[in-house]
Amino acid sequence: KAGVTQTPRYLIKTRGQQVTLSCSPISGHRSVSWYQQTPGQGLQFLFEYFSETQRNKGNFPGRFSGRQFSNSRSEMNVSTLELGDSALYLCASSLEGGLTQETQYFGPGTRLLVL
Amino acid sequence: KNEVEQSPQNLTAQEGEFITINCSYSVGISALHWLQQHPGGGIVSLFMLSSGKKKHGRLIATINIQEKHSSLHITASHPRDSAVYICAVRFGNEKLTFGTGTRLTIIP
């Protein structure tokens, strides 16, 4: 079974631009969660999607949004990029629930650099 | 305030040594996870605990609900165990909270 895939793996953008990151979960997994990791703040939860609905959301501004499609693939979008948005963005999938309910399988991440 | 603290921040040990990484949290939780992150960013979920103890190979995780504390142990450590170990918890229905991680380096 293929693992969680994320595209692109690396991305360079400039301030003010917007970006869309994609995550394909393991086949059969319906829950997709997104995380941001920076050297200063560590790993932080962005949001979780389950069956095309956002089920949980972290403390991030409205510039960060996401969606999930009927095939469970998920995208996250960041508008009006700021320098501080430079980070590793990770997605993780699981069968039904978020991190504390069952094992999550993480993708390799998308490393975003905002100049 | 719901907090998660890990110790130590950095740990260097010789191959074969017994390793202990600690995670403490401020209030009651429903469950706790231990994650492993290798250089390059890939994260692997090692354990999910709500009580007691779990073992997988050379890794052992314990949790003490009353003391609000969890430990991750590695027996017969090996250089391939070198990674950052992160604990993560959910306080009730609050957002997930992560520890700052412990950077483990095992020297051959």
Side-chain angles (χ1 to χ4, degrees):
Chain A
K1 213 180 229 185
V4 178
T5 58
Q6 290 187 245
T7 56
R9 293 292 311 278
Y10 303 92
L11 203 49
I12 300 176
K13 291 284 188 179
T14 56
R15 279 181 298 174
Q17 286 187 308
Q18 68 98 26
V19 67
T20 299
L21 312 181
S22 180
C23 172
S24 292
I26 291 173
S27 177
H29 285 192
R30 295 194 292 164
S31 170
V32 174
S33 296
W34 287 90
Y35 304 91
Q36 181 198 64
Q37 187 176 37
T38 60
Q41 298 296 317
L43 202 55
Q44 294 182 284
F45 170 74
L46 278 158
F47 25 65
E48 180 201 355
Y49 285 87
F50 180 79
S51 291
E52 302 180 64
T53 301
Q54 188 180 88
R55 185 156 66 177
N56 210 340
K57 188 176 188 304
N59 293 339
F60 279 82
R63 299 185 298 108
F64 291 80
S65 63
R67 60 178 175 169
Q68 186 179 33
F69 302 95
S70 58
N71 62 357
S72 293
R73 190 176 70 84
S74 178
E75 289 181 346
M76 69 161 280
N77 184 276
V78 187
S79 63
T80 319
L81 284 166
E82 300 177 0
L83 295 179
D85 297 332
S86 295
L88 179 66
Y89 290 88
L90 293 152
C91 84
S93 76
S94 61
L95 283 168
E96 299 287 335
L99 185 66
T100 57
Q101 281 77 43
E102 58 189 357
T103 298
Q104 282 199 329
Y105 298 85
F106 286 79
T110 294
R111 195 166 292 279
L112 171 66
L113 177 62
V114 181
L115 301 175
Chain B
K1 185 182 174 184
N2 298 334
E3 292 181 340
V4 180
E5 291 188 359
Q6 281 188 242
S7 63
Q9 278 192 307
N10 294 283
L11 179 56
T12 301
Q14 291 290 132
E15 183 174 355
E17 286 189 37
F18 182 82
I19 303 299
T20 296
I21 299 170
N22 298 298
C23 178
S24 297
Y25 46 92
S26 53
V27 297
I29 62 171
S30 56
L32 178 148
H33 278 250
W34 282 101
L35 311 173
Q36 179 194 55
Q37 185 171 32
H38 281 285
I43 290 181
V44 174
S45 180
L46 298 174
F47 295 104
M48 187 204 74
L49 291 167
S50 55
S51 65
K53 175 179 172 179
K54 286 191 176 179
K55 185 176 188 291
H56 182 69
R58 295 180 294 105
L59 301 177
I60 303 166
T62 63
I63 188 168
N64 185 317
I65 299 298
Q66 287 73 33
E67 294 186 4
K68 300 182 180 59
H69 180 269
S70 176
S71 292
L72 176 68
H73 305 285
I74 304 174
T75 62
S77 59
H78 190 276
R80 64 175 174 267
D81 297 326
S82 298
V84 176
Y85 293 84
I86 303 168
C87 73
V89 303
R90 185 196 296 265
F91 299 102
N93 290 324
E94 295 294 318
K95 63 180 175 65
L96 297 166
T97 302
F98 296 85
T100 52
T102 295
R103 185 174 300 276
L104 174 65
T105 303
I106 303 298
I107 299 170

